Amino acid sequence: MKKIILLVVTTIILSSFTKFMGGGNDLLIIVNKENSVTTLSESEVKLYWMRKIKKRWPDINKNIRPADYKSKTAAQTTFYSKVLGLTASDVETYFTQKQYDSAEKPQDKLTSDAEMVNFVANEVGAIGFINASSLSDADKTRVKVVCTVSN
């Protein structure tokens, strides 16, 4: 019985420590370093990423370029459900309708977290999302984290 209690307590402590240190499955919302935005709430991320209120970033006057993944990923599933409150099908329908209604370009689709970081680092108007464990120290000099979504 004591071994089971010790194992449970150890697991809880390690899990809490990992989350506290920024590990685990947290999702990071990233923008280009040139973007003047420093923090966004999850609801603001949704509005910008889906270009619901604005099509251009304030202050830098660049088009908002939402970045996504070509294939289903854990990061995408978390982003869609926790931030957007939508299914993958809903997101595709939304961007297809926007393109049909007003010729708006759909989200840019990438294949990996590394490609996402590179895209956001090179596109001043980009906003994307990656797993926290994928952001290296070198990447932190190239992109800005504006929101962390706990999983």
Side-chain angles (χ1 to χ4, degrees):
M1 183 71 161
K2 289 181 182 179
K3 288 182 182 179
I4 293 173
I5 293 172
L6 180 60
L7 179 61
V8 170
V9 169
T10 303
T11 303
I12 292 169
I13 290 171
L14 288 175
S15 174
S16 297
F17 180 74
T18 300
K19 285 193 175 194
F20 175 74
M21 294 305 290
N25 294 324
D26 286 350
L27 187 70
L28 303 178
I29 311 303
I30 57 174
V31 298
N32 185 280
K33 277 289 196 190
E34 301 300 314
N35 197 320
S36 61
V37 171
T38 56
T39 60
L40 293 172
S41 67
E42 289 178 25
S43 59
E44 290 171 321
V45 169
K46 178 179 180 176
L47 293 173
Y48 279 106
W49 196 84
M50 296 182 79
R51 298 181 297 225
K52 283 199 172 244
I53 293 178
K54 298 179 182 189
K55 296 186 184 354
R56 298 179 75 78
W57 288 104
D59 296 333
I60 61 171
N61 200 28
K62 294 288 183 181
N63 287 336
I64 297 170
R65 299 273 311 265
D68 199 353
Y69 294 93
K70 288 181 182 177
S71 304
K72 183 177 178 180
T73 66
Q76 184 188 65
T77 300
T78 300
F79 183 74
Y80 285 4
S81 65
K82 290 202 169 211
V83 177
L84 303 182
L86 300 170
T87 65
S89 175
D90 293 337
V91 173
E92 286 306 312
T93 300
Y94 174 81
F95 279 106
T96 300
Q97 191 65 43
K98 294 281 272 185
Q99 190 172 16
Y100 177 76
D101 289 344
S102 57
E104 270 189 52
K105 186 176 184 258
Q107 74 274 40
D108 290 281
K109 294 196 175 185
L110 310 162
T111 59
S112 66
D113 283 352
E115 194 174 323
M116 180 76 73
V117 170
N118 285 334
F119 177 78
V120 172
N122 292 318
E123 286 293 330
V124 177
I127 180 170
F129 53 93
I130 60 170
N131 289 305
S133 59
S134 298
L135 190 67
S136 70
D137 287 339
D139 292 337
K140 291 176 186 175
T141 65
R142 303 174 58 222
V143 298
K144 186 187 318 181
V145 176
V146 293
C147 183
T148 301
V149 180
S150 297
N151 192 8

